[in-house]
Amino acid sequence: MVRALKAELIKTFGYATFWVLILLHAILFLLVLMVANKATLNLNGIETNILLSKPYTWGTVAWLASWFNLILALLFIVIGGNDFLFGTYRRSLLDGFNRNQLFMAKLLLLLLIALYAVILITLVALFATPVLNSWDYLFTGYGYILVLFIQMLGYFSIALLIIVLTRNIALTIVIYLLYFAIIEPMLRLFLPDAASQLMPVKVISNLTPMPDFLGIMAKQFNINNQLDTSTMNAIETINNIPSLSQNIAVAIAYIVLFTTLSYIIFKRRDF
Amino acid sequence: MEIQKLLSTNNLTKTYGNTVALSNFSIEVSKGQVLGILGPNGSGKTTLLSVVMGLRYPTSGDFAWFNTLPNQTPNRKIGALIEVPTFYPYLSLLDNLRISALAKDINYNEIFPALELAGLSANLKAKLSSFSLGMKQRMAIAQALLGNPDIIVLDEPTNGLDPEGIVEVRNLIKKLNAGGTTIILASHNLDEVQRTCTHVAVLKKGHLQAYGSVNELLTSAKMAIVSIKNPDALFEYLNVNPDIEVIEQQGNTFKLMVNKSEQQVTLLNDFQTYGIAISSFEIRNLNLEELFIKLVRK
C-alpha cells in the first residue's frame, strides 16, 4: 500500500496542472477571505463587519471555502482520470500492483487532498481573519471546518464514481457539472420536499450552509433586547435547513456508497 | 530431470458480448522456451496475453504462473509489454521507471541495468513526451526487463522500431534467452518469430491451430513445387487426395502442401500413376510463412 501511495505521489507532484490548481485554490481562497475581512453589512443605516466576527468565524470560513471545492474536485478528476487517459493502469497492473492497491492509492490521494485543503484553510483563516486577535472563542465552531472536510470527501466521491464509470476526464467534468447544476436541481423539482432534501448534492452542499447573517446581526444588535421575541423567532426560522447532524450522517452514507460502488466497478473492470 | 512449467493455461476462454476472442486455450510454457504466439490481426494474441497478465478477467478456464494462483504470483518474476507502451508523458524516463520499480517492489538501483540493456542510459532526465516512438518502445522494454525477471512477455516488441532497433531487440531476446530467461513473444512478423522462437502457437479467431516446437511444426508437412504440362490430370489427382492442398498456382507451376508423410514419399510415383506429366519437381520443408498460411487459411 505504501508503495502504491509513493507511486501516486510521484505522478501527482510531477504534474504541472496539480500545482496550478492547488495554487489557484489557495490564492482565490486567500483573496476572498481578505475581501470578507474588509466587508461590512448595512442594516437600517448601521454599518458593521460581522462576516468573520467571533464566535461565528469558522462557520463563515467553511462556507466561503466551500465555494472553491469545485476547483479541488476538478483537480481530483484530472489526477484520478490521468491513469485512464494515459492507459497507465495497464502498466501498473503489468508491473505488479493489483487493483486493490491502485484503488486504495487513489482513495488515499483523495483523503490527502481534502486534508491538505483543511490545513490550508485553517492556517489562512488563522492569519487572515480576526480569530487570532484574542484567544476567546479561538476554536469555537471549528467543527464547521471538519464538516467541510466531509463535504470535500462527498464531492470527491461523486467525482471518483463518474471517473471510474466513464474513464474519461472531459466527460467526467461535463457530467459532474451537469449533475450539480442541472440534473439534480431538476430532479428535486419533481420530488417531495423531504426527499429532495436527501439528494446527494443537496445533502453535501447543505453541510456548509450560508451563515445566518441576519440572525447574527440581530443578536449583535439585540444586546439591549430592543427586538421583541416574535421578531427574533422569525429571524431564526428564515434559514430552514435540516439539522447538521442528520446531513452529516446522510453525507457519510453517500460517501461510503459512492466509494464502494467505485471500488466494485474498478475491481471488476478489464484494462 | 523435471521440466519446470512457468505458465500453464487450462481451457482459457474470453468473450466480449457475443464475440469469442479466445476459446479453450490450453498450453504449457516451460523454462527456457521462446514461445512465439502467431496469428492474424484479431486472432486473440493480445487478449491471451492480457488475460494471463491479469489485465482482463477470463470468462472461463484458468491459468497459473510458476504453479501458483494468479494473485500469488511474484510480479518481479514476470516482465511484460502488452500492446502500445503506456507511460506518464509529463514525467521523466527515470520517474516513470521509479513507478514501475515500486510496483515490482524492487530496489531503485535495479532500474539502471534495465536501462542499459534497452539502450536508454543517456536519456534519464528526458520527459517521455519528447521521446520518439522507437524510444518509447525501448522504454517499455526496459520496464519489462526491470528486476531481471524469469519470464518476459512481449506483444509486438518491434513495433515502431527502425531496422537497426529491430535487430537489437531480436539480439536482446536471444541474449536473454541464452541467459535462461523464458520469453513469450506475440507477433505477426513471421520472420522475427522464425529467427527467435523455439516454439510456436498459432491462433486463428481465438482458437489454437497448432502448438509445438518450430522444428516439429515445420517438418510436419512438405512443400512440393511442381511444373505440370497437363494440369487437368493434377486436379483429378487432387480430388481423390484432399490432404494435398494447392497453396499457390502460377500458370502451370503449383505449390502443393503435402501433409501426410507417406504421401511425401510416394508423391512422384502417384503422379506417374495418374499420368501427370512433370517438367520440374522440388520437395522441401515448409518455412514459417507457409505453415502460417496453411494454418490460418483452413
Side-chain angles (χ1 to χ4, degrees), chain A residues 69-105:
Chain A
N69 281 342
L70 183 64
I71 295 176
L72 294 175
L74 290 178
L75 170 69
F76 180 69
I77 290 170
V78 173
I79 294 173
N82 268 349
D83 281 295
F84 287 114
L85 175 70
F86 301 132
T88 34
Y89 275 133
R90 288 174 64 83
R91 183 69 250 163
S92 294
L93 288 169
L94 289 176
D95 284 337
F97 282 137
N98 59 40
R99 286 170 173 79
N100 286 347
Q101 289 171 313
L102 293 175
F103 187 83
M104 289 309 290

Side-chain angles (χ1 to χ4, degrees), chain A residues 190-245:
Chain A
F190 298 101
L191 291 171
D193 190 50
S196 78
Q197 293 293 327
L198 292 174
M199 292 294 282
V201 170
K202 186 72 179 169
V203 166
I204 293 167
S205 54
N206 273 350
L207 289 174
T208 52
M210 185 173 81
D212 177 15
F213 292 122
L214 198 59
I216 294 169
M217 282 185 78
K219 280 174 188 163
Q220 288 196 346
F221 286 104
N222 199 29
I223 293 163
N224 299 322
N225 294 321
Q226 62 270 52
L227 296 177
D228 60 39
T229 312
S230 61
T231 310
M232 285 302 291
N233 286 342
I235 288 167
E236 281 175 6
T237 53
I238 287 173
N239 283 333
N240 183 23
I241 57 161
S243 76
L244 192 59
S245 54

Side-chain angles (χ1 to χ4, degrees), chain B residues 81 83-87 93 115 117-120 123 127-143 156-169 172:
Chain B
L81 159 60
E83 288 187 303
V84 290
T86 55
F87 48 84
L93 172 64
L115 280 170
L117 272 173
L120 284 171
N123 305 85
K127 288 201 172 168
L128 267 288
S129 52
S130 67
F131 274 30
S132 68
L133 185 60
M135 286 169 82
K136 287 170 187 165
Q137 194 73 7
R138 282 168 191 271
M139 185 216 59
I141 291 169
Q143 283 173 318
E156 308 286 358
T158 53
N159 267 0
L161 295 179
D162 53 25
E164 193 185 352
I166 292 171
V167 173
E168 279 176 30
V169 169
L172 177 63

Side-chain angles (χ1 to χ4, degrees), chain A residues 52-212:
Chain A
L52 294 166
S53 63
K54 286 187 174 185
Y56 314 105
T57 314
W58 291 112
T60 308
V61 167
W63 173 63
L64 292 173
S66 71
W67 297 0
F68 305 104
N69 281 342
L70 183 64
I71 295 176
L72 294 175
L74 290 178
L75 170 69
F76 180 69
I77 290 170
V78 173
I79 294 173
N82 268 349
D83 281 295
F84 287 114
L85 175 70
F86 301 132
T88 34
Y89 275 133
R90 288 174 64 83
R91 183 69 250 163
S92 294
L93 288 169
L94 289 176
D95 284 337
F97 282 137
N98 59 40
R99 286 170 173 79
N100 286 347
Q101 289 171 313
L102 293 175
F103 187 83
M104 289 309 290
K106 220 43 115 185
L107 218 53
L108 283 175
L109 180 71
L110 177 154
L111 280 168
L112 285 179
I113 294 174
L115 198 62
Y116 149 80
V118 164
I119 293 169
L120 172 94
I121 289 160
T122 305
L123 290 177
V124 170
L126 281 174
F127 293 102
T129 70
V131 283
L132 273 187
N133 289 355
S134 75
W135 295 104
D136 298 342
Y137 307 116
L138 180 61
F139 283 107
T140 303
Y142 188 74
Y144 281 106
I145 301 295
L146 302 180
V147 174
L148 177 73
F149 178 74
I150 296 171
Q151 185 184 53
M152 282 188 269
L153 297 186
Y155 286 136
F156 294 171
S157 65
I158 296 175
L160 178 66
L161 180 60
I162 304 174
I163 295 168
V164 170
L165 278 170
T166 64
R167 293 185 282 178
N168 183 307
I169 293 175
L171 197 57
T172 299
I173 292 173
V174 170
I175 293 174
Y176 192 76
L177 295 178
L178 279 179
Y179 185 77
F180 271 69
I182 298 173
I183 298 170
E184 192 185 297
M186 281 182 70
L187 281 174
R188 288 204 300 264
L189 290 177
F190 298 101
L191 291 171
D193 190 50
S196 78
Q197 293 293 327
L198 292 174
M199 292 294 282
V201 170
K202 186 72 179 169
V203 166
I204 293 167
S205 54
N206 273 350
L207 289 174
T208 52
M210 185 173 81
D212 177 15

Side-chain angles (χ1 to χ4, degrees), chain B residues 31-34 148 150 152 170-183 196 198:
Chain B
K31 187 169 169 55
Q33 282 186 5
V34 182
N148 195 21
D150 292 348
I152 294 179
R170 196 177 287 156
N171 290 339
L172 177 63
I173 291 170
K174 284 182 177 168
K175 185 175 162 188
L176 290 167
N177 185 240
T181 309
T182 305
I183 291 160
T196 48
T198 59

